[in-house]
Amino acid sequence: MKGTLRYLAGIAGPNGFGSRSTAEQVTQYSFFPCSNLTAIITGGTSGIGAETARVLAKRRVRVVMAVRDMKKAEIVKERIVREIPEADIKLLEIDLSSLSSVARFCCQFLSQDLPLNILINNAGVFSPNLEFSEDKIELTFATNFLGHYLLTEMLKEKMIDTAEKSGIEGRIINLSSVIHSWVNPVCFSFQKLLHPIKYNGTRAYAQSKLATILHAKALSTQLKERNANVTINAVHPGIIKTGIIRAHKGLLTDSLFLIASKLLKSISQGAATTCYVALSNETKGLNGKYFADCNETNCSDLANDESVARKLCTHSHSLIHDYLHQYHIHSLPNLCLM
């Protein structure tokens, strides 16, 4: 109740920002020198992904939009360029539910020899019914977690190299959700994540968002051990009426939205925490943390469990290793070091 009242009041946290802060506000003054920085954002064709792309472009960051629908991406790009004529935006196709598509995207990006300072794993889906990816993996987990896990593994060496050459800290941001705390530890099994026996869309979504935090915890440890000048953190954007939220039919109805309207964030407010963690000087050196309302906060005990994080990433590493060999993708160095 206390947290809900604080949210309704829009009370700012220790850094002066809170649930009502917008992405433009949190990046107006406190951000890295952004010119010559390059950021990849997945799922930037709508919602908070599109707003994140717009705000980063406004702060002079080169933005690579990794998208499934190129036509929608062109429309978003045109809209941003109309507002910000100097915006540098590139579009590359990716289907995060497909391991081979993720690998092709990485090959295409790395062939352009661009630096990579920021990776924002933003894209997400909610599937009310049990569906499987082309790799025969449950669609929500394949898209929200496993595709981003592979993407990060294939690009992290580029990020480490960019940080060494530029002297600027690289930053990886995983989009999570407060509903990660709904996951029952007894039910969190890797094999069940891949092939659920009794499917529930909300549970699958919550589990995928828990996995994104566990990924951040595990990879942050590895990056620290390597003394890499790259951080990874997870963020909860807030409750926004986006396509994913509208897909929760039966759980979150229009009537509930009307009653809880004061709890909902605007898209710009929803993008604020991502943009803050990506660009703020105040988040420098913070690694393996969880943020909400632009402030560091606590995640669930399960999300903090180091053994669970290691186990998840060990299984994930084994899985993507098998698929990389299946698709004969050997051209990229240091793909999987987890």
Side-chain angles (χ1 to χ4, degrees):
M1 177 61 74
K2 186 180 292 185
T4 300
L5 291 174
R6 179 181 180 278
Y7 187 97
L8 286 168
I11 297 172
N15 60 13
F17 299 122
S19 62
R20 296 312 187 206
S21 300
T22 67
E24 286 201 28
Q25 289 170 345
V26 302
T27 59
Q28 187 171 5
Y29 301 111
S30 179
F31 55 89
F32 285 146
C34 294
S35 56
N36 300 319
L37 296 189
T38 299
I40 291 177
I41 304 172
T42 66
T45 55
S46 63
I48 59 178
E51 176 66 0
T52 299
R54 184 188 73 83
V55 172
L56 264 60
K58 190 168 186 175
R59 303 306 179 210
R60 306 186 308 282
V61 178
R62 178 192 292 117
V63 175
V64 178
M65 294 174 60
V67 298
R68 186 173 58 179
D69 191 325
M70 293 292 280
K71 289 183 179 179
K72 287 184 179 179
E74 287 286 359
I75 294 171
V76 173
K77 177 181 177 179
E78 289 174 8
R79 186 168 67 237
I80 294 174
V81 171
R82 277 199 303 270
E83 178 190 349
I84 311 160
E86 67 277 14
D88 185 354
I89 298 177
K90 300 182 182 301
L91 308 179
L92 291 177
E93 188 173 5
I94 191 172
D95 178 354
L96 282 155
S97 72
S98 164
L99 295 172
S100 59
S101 176
V102 173
R104 283 193 299 271
F105 168 88
C106 292
C107 290
Q108 190 175 1
F109 173 78
L110 292 172
S111 70
Q112 299 188 22
D113 200 28
L114 292 171
L116 182 56
N117 307 92
I118 300 166
L119 172 61
I120 300 176
N121 292 321
N122 167 83
V125 298
F126 172 84
S127 181
N129 301 310
L130 178 59
E131 298 179 73
F132 289 94
S133 70
E134 68 178 36
D135 301 301
K136 306 296 188 294
I137 297 167
E138 190 278 311
L139 187 65
T140 301
F141 185 71
T143 306
N144 296 358
F145 171 70
L146 198 59
H148 283 121
Y149 177 85
L150 175 58
L151 180 72
T152 304
E153 285 297 293
M154 294 183 73
L155 296 178
K156 70 181 180 185
E157 295 303 321
K158 167 58 78 172
M159 294 196 71
I160 292 171
D161 181 65
T162 299
E164 287 179 353
K165 291 178 178 176
S166 66
I168 299 173
E169 181 180 85
R171 297 184 176 182
I172 305 168
I173 295 98
N174 284 357
L175 268 285
S176 184
S177 170
V178 70
I179 72 168
H180 79 272
S181 60
W182 296 3
V183 177
N184 185 334
V186 176
C187 301
F188 194 68
S189 158
F190 189 73
Q191 287 306 316
K192 290 179 181 177
L193 292 170
L194 299 179
H195 309 106
I197 298 171
K198 198 172 183 180
Y199 184 77
N200 176 283
T202 301
R203 180 173 58 234
Y205 184 77
Q207 289 174 332
S208 73
K209 291 304 179 179
L210 169 63
T212 65
I213 303 177
L214 291 168
H215 176 214
K217 299 286 185 180
L219 183 53
S220 68
T221 298
Q222 181 197 105
L223 292 168
K224 290 173 187 175
E225 290 173 348
R226 293 183 60 180
N227 292 317
N229 190 22
V230 176
T231 64
I232 178 169
N233 294 288
V235 305
H236 165 52
I239 305 171
I240 307 120
K241 195 172 183 181
T242 63
I244 286 178
I245 295 297
R246 284 193 296 271
H248 285 70
K249 290 180 179 178
L251 175 68
L252 299 172
T253 64
D254 287 340
S255 297
L256 182 57
F257 275 119
L258 185 61
I259 295 170
S261 60
K262 291 186 181 295
L263 287 172
L264 299 181
K265 285 186 176 185
S266 69
I267 288 174
S268 186
Q269 290 167 345
T273 305
T274 298
C275 291
Y276 174 76
V277 176
L279 298 182
S280 175
N281 287 321
E282 295 175 357
T283 59
K284 186 175 182 180
L286 296 180
N287 207 353
K289 306 298 183 182
Y290 176 68
F291 289 81
D293 297 337
C294 303
N295 284 264
E296 184 182 342
T297 189
N298 296 322
C299 53
S300 70
D301 290 342
L302 183 57
N304 275 318
D305 192 317
E306 293 181 7
S307 65
V308 174
R310 283 195 303 270
K311 186 180 296 185
L312 172 68
C313 289
T314 297
H315 286 311
S316 300
H317 166 251
S318 298
L319 183 58
I320 64 172
H321 182 271
D322 292 343
Y323 276 99
L324 287 168
H325 278 73
Q326 179 181 336
Y327 290 111
H328 306 293
I329 301 165
H330 304 293
S331 58
L332 299 176
N334 301 313
L335 291 181
C336 312
L337 299 177
M338 182 66 70

